[in-house]
Amino acid sequence: MSELPGTMPMVHHRTADFGGGDILEADHMHAHHQGQVTGTSGNPVSVTELKGPQTGIPDKKYVLSAETKTIRLASGEAIEAWTFNGQIPGPALVADEGDLVEVRLVNKDIASGVTLHWHGVDVPNGEDGVAGMTQDAVMPGESYTYRFVVNETGTHWYHSHQQSSIQVQKGLFGSFVIRPSNQQDSETMDATVMAHHWVTPGGREIAALGLADTFQRQKVKPGTPVRLRLVNAGNLTQTFTLNGVSYKVAAVDGYELNEPGTLTDSLLRIGGGGRYDVIFTMPKTPVTLTMISEPDPIGIVYSQDGQGEPDILQKGTVLDITGYGSPADTPFNTSTDFDRSFTVILDQTYFGTYNGEAGQQWVINGKAFPETPTLMVREGDIVKTTFVNRSFADHPMHLHGHHIQVLSRNGEPISGSSLVLDTLNIEPGETFEVAFLANNPGLWMDHCHNLDHARKGMTMHVAYENVYTPFAIGSDTGNHPE
């Protein structure tokens, strides 16, 4: 599509795919509202009705103010950034499992508007923070309040979902850690490390961990249990190594792995938006965390005196997370009787014009958004999706509002710990089967979290029967989710 309309619904039911399940006949489908589908039973529900508790005293309460600010990286390089509360990354949000969380977003001076999306947290649809789908973008001088109960645990993050390919890159993101309700106080050093790439006014990219674009040093007492929460807040897959200690990957995307094995020389590849939690006990000798980057690697040296030179792992093998850890009972497997089964083929085109921009497009089933499929589900459905990557790039596919269980990779059932993810990184030539329970009604994005790919067409949606949105996207609306 050469030019997108000035106003259009984000969810297009003309491209509905029912995955072999019940089909809503045309005479049972109405469009009294943008994007509405009315099925054979039930009354239509607006996304604005699918909210968290609107009363009650929150257990955790935060205010995040979006504002422009010049920041300096550890090297001294100046970056014109967009920030939350003037910080990069934004304030670390911490909650406990079961908490009612309230976050008030204030837009001080981001002219294009902002939102807050809770990446990896299965909030009610109306709290999901997607401009043009679940709300309008929050413009300068305006505010918007999100309220939801957190029912999962682990390492997550938040970011703007208005012009996300621009705003996340410019700094509108931060960490969101949810502690288990049974967690006991301990002496663990718990640190979140957010990987990102900053862009200078001249267009040069600078890899950094937060503001650190050089190797940093940190003092840690020997014998201390350490948990490093590695978050990839960038578009491209990043590779991390840990040298000087044996360690385990305890969790992926916030989900604890079953009986993770001990590692010493692994390359940890984390797709855009994904997270790995790494645990170890601090030895008497230094430990080096490295992110492999160009032109030079960056990272953190942990030592008992806060000194020491980086000792970078020189040779390693990529950890196959689908074969790591021990199997455990899971809700679904490859022989489960699914209510709906979808096939999603990820590919690219080299020539064309998308929304006025000539060049490469990223397509799903041969089409760019808004012609990509809308995966139609009914509450209670057990859904299987087969992802096939026919392109030459990684695609970290992120389904909002749900977690997926990985069933198989390249035709073989996974052999390690059960994997429950919110962001599935699919490398070129790979095929994955995943499953989820449709238990969170709404209209949900399912898109590549290389946000440049999403902006150029690699976006689709999961839509529940009888749910509609009163919001719209397009140049005339001010809502630009990608």
Side-chain angles (χ1 to χ4, degrees):
M1 181 174 288
S2 59
E3 282 289 347
L4 298 178
T7 301
M8 67 176 185
M10 194 169 180
V11 178
H12 292 262
H13 291 97
R14 68 175 180 274
T15 62
D17 182 345
F18 298 95
D22 294 345
I23 295 175
L24 302 178
E25 299 293 340
D27 61 347
H28 291 134
M29 298 175 69
H30 308 283
H32 303 306
H33 303 268
Q34 293 167 346
Q36 175 181 337
V37 168
T38 301
T40 56
S41 62
N43 296 317
V45 176
S46 170
V47 298
T48 60
E49 299 175 56
L50 301 172
K51 304 281 282 185
Q54 298 302 294
T55 59
I57 299 173
D59 299 291
K60 301 292 188 301
K61 188 173 183 178
Y62 295 96
V63 176
L64 297 177
S65 296
E67 58 186 296
T68 59
K69 186 177 181 181
T70 301
I71 62 169
R72 287 201 178 273
L73 303 179
S75 65
E77 185 94 37
I79 301 290
E80 297 301 319
W82 295 356
T83 71
F84 287 119
N85 295 9
Q87 299 175 219
I88 294 294
L93 306 187
V94 178
D96 295 300
E97 182 182 10
D99 277 353
L100 172 59
V101 177
E102 179 179 299
V103 183
R104 182 170 173 258
L105 170 64
V106 178
N107 184 355
K108 285 191 174 180
D109 60 4
I110 307 298
S112 52
V114 293
T115 69
L116 286 173
H117 167 63
W118 316 100
H119 189 116
V121 185
D122 295 346
V123 299
N125 192 215
E127 310 289 355
D128 196 42
V130 176
M133 176 95 99
T134 62
Q135 66 176 94
D136 286 324
V138 181
M139 304 309 289
E142 296 179 346
S143 66
Y144 188 96
T145 299
Y146 302 85
R147 288 172 60 95
F148 50 85
V149 175
V150 289
N151 293 312
E152 59 256 83
T153 62
T155 305
H156 308 289
W157 63 301
Y158 63 89
H159 61 80
S160 178
H161 227 303
Q162 162 77 342
Q163 292 185 326
S164 59
S165 60
I166 297 171
Q167 296 198 3
V168 176
Q169 190 282 315
K170 291 184 74 70
L172 288 176
F173 65 87
S175 65
F176 187 9
V177 173
I178 306 171
R179 301 174 296 205
S181 58
N182 61 355
Q183 177 173 301
Q184 304 296 317
D185 291 337
S186 71
E187 299 301 316
T188 299
M189 188 195 91
D190 192 319
T192 301
V193 180
M194 301 197 77
H196 195 61
H197 279 75
W198 301 100
V199 179
T200 67
R204 181 168 54 91
E205 288 197 1
I206 302 175
L209 300 178
L211 290 175
D213 57 339
T214 60
F215 263 97
Q216 304 296 296
R217 276 80 178 165
Q218 188 166 345
K219 190 173 183 178
V220 184
K221 182 181 177 182
T224 301
V226 178
R227 189 178 194 107
L228 301 180
R229 302 175 184 268
L230 308 180
V231 180
N232 183 0
N235 284 336
L236 302 179
T237 300
Q238 300 300 326
T239 300
F240 293 84
T241 65
L242 196 67
N243 200 30
V245 70
S246 59
Y247 63 94
K248 296 178 180 180
V249 177
V252 178
D253 286 4
Y255 181 84
E256 295 288 320
L257 301 184
N258 185 50
E259 298 179 353
T262 299
L263 305 171
T264 56
D265 60 353
S266 291
L267 307 178
L268 307 180
R269 286 175 53 82
I270 306 178
R275 290 90 65 210
Y276 277 22
D277 284 23
V278 173
I279 59 173
F280 61 92
T281 299
M282 184 66 197
K284 294 180 179 180
T285 50
V287 174
T288 302
L289 171 71
T290 304
M291 185 174 85
I292 308 301
S293 59
E294 297 293 340
D296 300 304
I298 59 172
I300 306 170
V301 178
Y302 301 97
S303 64
Q304 60 180 324
D305 60 0
Q307 304 297 316
E309 292 303 310
D311 183 13
I312 300 169
L313 182 70
Q314 296 301 313
K315 187 176 181 181
T317 56
V318 175
L319 175 65
D320 176 8
I321 200 67
T322 67
Y324 178 66
S326 299
D329 291 338
T330 58
F332 318 118
N333 56 49
T334 53
S335 52
T336 296
D337 185 15
F338 294 97
D339 298 296
R340 300 180 192 273
S341 296
F342 301 101
T343 298
V344 174
I345 299 174
L346 309 172
D347 214 334
Q348 64 202 82
T349 63
Y350 292 98
F351 304 100
T353 302
Y354 182 73
N355 200 23
E357 185 176 344
Q360 189 176 57
Q361 299 175 36
W362 299 95
V363 296
I364 298 175
N365 294 1
K367 301 290 186 179
F369 176 80
E371 302 303 323
T372 49
T374 296
L375 310 185
M376 295 297 303
V377 300
R378 177 174 290 143
E379 187 173 5
D381 281 347
I382 301 173
V383 181
K384 182 176 78 170
T385 307
T386 302
F387 288 100
V388 182
N389 186 355
R390 296 199 312 205
S391 76
F392 298 101
D394 287 13
H395 297 300
M397 295 301 293
H398 172 51
L399 171 60
H400 289 208
H402 303 76
H403 283 71
I404 57 171
Q405 180 196 315
V406 180
L407 304 175
S408 72
R409 174 178 174 266
N410 297 335
E412 297 292 330
I414 69 168
S415 58
S417 170
S418 56
L419 278 178
V420 178
L421 310 176
D422 55 71
T423 310
L424 173 70
N425 194 48
I426 309 165
E427 297 188 8
E430 286 188 326
T431 296
F432 276 91
E433 290 180 309
V434 303
F436 70 92
L437 174 64
N439 61 353
N440 196 3
L443 302 175
W444 301 100
M445 293 191 71
D446 193 354
H447 64 107
C448 181
H449 220 275
N450 181 326
L451 297 172
D452 286 339
H453 293 179
R455 181 175 62 86
K456 293 184 178 181
M458 196 167 271
T459 293
M460 62 180 184
H461 299 91
V462 170
Y464 281 68
E465 179 186 21
N466 293 330
V467 180
Y468 72 93
T469 176
F471 305 107
I473 63 172
S475 56
D476 295 342
T477 68
N479 292 322
H480 304 278
E482 300 293 15

